[in-house]
């Protein structure tokens, strides 16, 4: 970037919804995404939910000409789903793993398996720090059990950006944050890092109303999810900020509008977000740009800390009940062992010993013991992580309040 | 640090071996550590294996006068065991979680439970970036199954330091790295970050021969572990480097020698490491100090990549065999289900149905299925992470080779 007076950077971000066997018309859509990317020639492409490494390899082969550099973030049980294609060399990559990402036993939500280790990765191309990522999904807005987890993730992401961004000139974040623009997690992330929202800053906007990326016009979206939001919701973002002696302006932001340009099917169940940024070197260093120090930030951190505290209470309750369940199962097993020993010692021989039901009960108790112990360990970790995040937030709040 | 011509920084590092119910004379030793720290008045104290939060709280109360700032890294099932006491304000903390840390089913080794989430945390006090940490233990040097995991950790640690250190003036790392000075993991960490070893650089050294921190003179060390190394081994380190316009020199390094000064018992089964550093601001920025670019570094990364590759092969084999076991258990269950259905349908009624053994077998098959599936998922994650690290190392090797 050195020496150039202005760099025009075109970025493409999309949650591809490319789950093998589950996503509708996956192969066709991946082919369509590849064709469009090759035709449009962006500078940087951030994709999420490319769950199959085969799809990534196909895209890589197709895009080798115009995006010579690419990286797929390998991890987790299924894979991370995250990949980056770039016209500029990718100098280095670095992975960050959130400490909390849902519950392993919520199989139908799946974030733990495909998200915990992988969905949380950040691709770093210095001096441009670019992050492609996905936060924990929201499954029920009214009774959102994952809110504390998502807040911990937003906090860890903000901390990660604060601590790694000094090595970059510009920070770019594109991804499916699974949060509405006014949600506390987004406010926390933006407030604590100083990242700016390309949609809000864009000089020129073209696309779905309010920049929505989950819209009823898209034939793949889950219509019931959008019932309370007839215009759609905005959960995919491109955020950016300049470090040191640079300025970044968002010239244009576009979203697709329910279908891919020139076709009758969409790229995915999410709309693609495309930004054109102008990056310019300034005369003098702009000084620190880490977050804003206004009282509003303290309010946001306080609000987030309260939510994390609510999650901590719930996690403590779950830890307690799983622990109690484990103890009860253990007691039952001990009781059974006593009864079996009694029978072996010849007590109560006048009655026939019910072997089958005894056996079934013992296995049931053993199963409950194993499960409840596993849950207890899991919720213990959850309590520690939530408590640790609460501590960190408190430390930051103290520092914010001490500042003049 | 700004404006001061020279800062003399005294650092204390110790693996405290304070495991509740298991460590010998724990309370007495923690009291002794607290008394010594209060008397000596270091600037920064990095402790590992403080497994009980109560011990931390006791130390905090005792040390509040001379170390007003402290932090305990809460996480994992048991806790992280890591804490920091500081004479200077701790501005911010940041946690990093290794992607691999042993096997959950190796209960006797325990790293997964107390290490995975927690042992891997880094305490950051900017502009001094200080890290207190512990890598995966080595249980058998000749046949070290954890070497690939420890290498992944060393690599992630090096990447973490490279990406976060730009925000600091000086990086300090103290901890039990569980590696001998000439091991590939240490060479990788030092080569890739440019960190310098306080023991090798110290103008004045006082302590155990060769700077050993596990010595036979210590009454708590496991003597059988030290049989091949009659002089002891050095696995606890203080590493440092200066960023930008600073220089750091190690004036003095000390270790305890089998017992705490002025007493007849040691602080722990490890020796404490104490360094005195001189930090000075230079006239002009020293430029980038990230790693060394010499051919030796490429050799070290290649060596590490080979070891990670060996681990990847092993993980693939384990994934395959656990998968095969799960399939076999599933087949057995299906066979049983067919037999049960056959009996229900009235086939083979001339023979009595062996209910009890049938039931036992079904539960056995179910248990094997659950266990083998769990193992398969775990080893799948392991494969992904090792593969991802191999990829990253390859990317770095390519960049190293392309450099003039």
């Amino acid at each position: 970037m050195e020496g150039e007076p202005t760099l025009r950077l075109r970025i493409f971000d999309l949650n591809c919804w490319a789950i093998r066997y589950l996503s509708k018309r996956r192969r066709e859509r991946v082919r369509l995404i590849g064709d469009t990317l090759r035709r449009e020639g962006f500078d940087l492409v951030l994709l999420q939910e490319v769950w199959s490494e085969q799809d990534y390899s196909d895209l890589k082969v197709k895009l080798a000409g115009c995006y010579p550099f690419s990286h797929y973030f390998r991890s987790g049980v299924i894979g991370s789903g995250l990949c980056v294609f770039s016209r500029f060399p990718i100098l280095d990559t670095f992975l960050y793993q959130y400490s909390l990402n849902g519950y392993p036993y919520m199989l139908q939500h799946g974030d733990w398996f495909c998200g915990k280790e992988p969905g949380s990765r950040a691709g770093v191309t210095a001096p441009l720090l670019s992050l492609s990522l996905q936060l924990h999904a929201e499954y029920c807005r009214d009774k959102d059990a994952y809110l504390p987890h998502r807040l911990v993730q937003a906090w860890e992401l903000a901390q990660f950006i604060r601590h790694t961004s000094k090595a970059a000139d510009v920070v770019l974040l594109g991804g499916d944050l699974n949060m509405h623009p006014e949600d506390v997690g987004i406010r926390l992330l933006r407030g604590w890092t100083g990242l700016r929202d390309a949609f809000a800053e864009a000089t020129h906007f073209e696309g779905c109303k309010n920049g929505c990326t989950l819209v009823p016009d898209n034939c793949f979206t889950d219509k019931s999810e959008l019932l309370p939001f007839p215009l759609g919701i905005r959960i995919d973002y491109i955020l950016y900020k300049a470090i040191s002696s640079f300025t970044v302006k968002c010239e244009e932001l576009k979203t697709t509008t329910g279908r891919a340009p020139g076709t009758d099917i969409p790229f995915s169940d999410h709309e693609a977000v495309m930004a054109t940024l102008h990056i310019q070197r300034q005369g003098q260093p702009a000084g620190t740009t880490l977050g804003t120090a206004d009282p509003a930030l303290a309010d946001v951190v306080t609000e987030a800390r309260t939510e994390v505290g609510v999650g901590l209470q719930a996690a403590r309750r779950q830890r307690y009940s799983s622990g109690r369940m484990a103890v009860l199962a253990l007691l039952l097993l001990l009781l059974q062992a006593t009864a079996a020993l009694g029978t072996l010692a010849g007590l109560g021989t006048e009655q026939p010993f019910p072997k089958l039901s005894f056996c079934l009960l013992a296995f049931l108790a053993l199963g409950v013991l194993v499960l409840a112990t596993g849950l207890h360990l899991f919720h213990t970790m959850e309590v520690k992580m939530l408590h640790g995040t609460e501590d960190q937030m408190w430390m930051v709040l103290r520092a914010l309040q001490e500042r003049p």
Side-chain angles (χ1 to χ4, degrees), chain A residues 325-365:
Chain A
M325 183 69 87
V327 169
L328 287 177
L330 189 66
L331 284 178
L332 180 60
L333 271 179
L334 288 177
L335 205 70
Q336 283 205 295
T338 320
L341 284 175
T343 312
L344 283 178
L347 299 171
T349 38
E350 65 280 6
Q351 283 170 346
F353 189 74
K355 273 189 204 161
L356 182 66
S357 42
F358 184 87
C359 223
L360 280 174
L361 192 61
F363 275 108
L364 188 71

Side-chain angles (χ1 to χ4, degrees), chain A residues 206-208 212 254-261 267 270-274:
Chain A
E206 201 183 308
C208 298
C212 290
K254 280 186 184 179
T255 71
T256 50
T257 51
R259 63 193 61 190
F267 287 133
H270 287 242
E271 301 305 315
V273 184
M274 291 155 284

Side-chain angles (χ1 to χ4, degrees), chain A residues 1 7 9 11 43-46 68-71 73 83-95 122-132 160 164-165 167-173 279:
Chain A
M1 232 169 284
L7 178 79
L9 200 70
I11 303 147
D43 296 298
L44 188 67
V45 175
L46 307 171
F69 306 96
S70 66
H71 189 75
F73 292 90
C83 58
V84 180
F85 290 90
S86 169
R87 208 159 65 80
F88 302 110
I90 297 176
L91 300 179
D92 198 355
T93 61
F94 184 52
L95 311 177
V124 180
T125 52
L128 187 81
L129 173 74
S130 74
L131 303 108
S132 168
F160 177 80
T164 58
S165 59
D169 292 329
V170 171
V171 178
L172 277 180
L173 182 158
I279 301 173

Side-chain angles (χ1 to χ4, degrees), chain A residues 213 215-221 223 258-259 266-271:
Chain A
T213 58
V215 293
D217 286 347
N218 186 310
C219 60
F220 295 131
T221 49
K223 297 299 173 293
R259 63 193 61 190
F267 287 133
S268 157
D269 60 346
H270 287 242
E271 301 305 315

